Amino acid sequence: MQGIYDYVKQLAPDASINYQNEDVDNKLSDLTDELSVDLIIDAVGKKEAELDFRWLYNGRLVTIVGVPSP
């Protein structure tokens, strides 16, 4: 899992959330003043990706199923 997290960090997101040690909903609420987000990059899986849709409005969801090789 750390490899995927490190890969996403290389993409230089405005913010990143590690669901294993942060509350995703609380963090997104704090970061967005309870508004929607433009892009979510999910590297966890289907269950979490489905929950992410709640935060998107005219945004995009990208799901990574493995770390690409250079």
Side-chain angles (χ1 to χ4, degrees), residues 9-40:
K9 292 287 279 187
Q10 290 178 13
L11 300 174
D14 292 335
S16 61
I17 303 169
N18 186 335
Y19 84 103
Q20 292 178 322
N21 57 19
E22 297 178 271
D23 183 293
V24 175
D25 285 328
N26 285 339
K27 183 78 172 188
L28 284 171
S29 181
D30 291 344
L31 290 168
T32 66
D33 293 326
E34 299 185 14
L35 299 175
S36 64
V37 298
D38 298 321
L39 173 67
I40 293 176

Side-chain angles (χ1 to χ4, degrees), residues 35-64:
L35 299 175
S36 64
V37 298
D38 298 321
L39 173 67
I40 293 176
I41 300 173
D42 182 285
V44 180
K46 181 182 177 194
K47 179 181 174 187
E48 287 74 17
E50 289 173 348
L51 295 173
D52 292 339
F53 276 115
R54 298 173 300 162
W55 286 97
L56 293 172
Y57 179 77
N58 289 329
R60 302 286 187 252
L61 172 65
V62 176
T63 302
I64 298 173

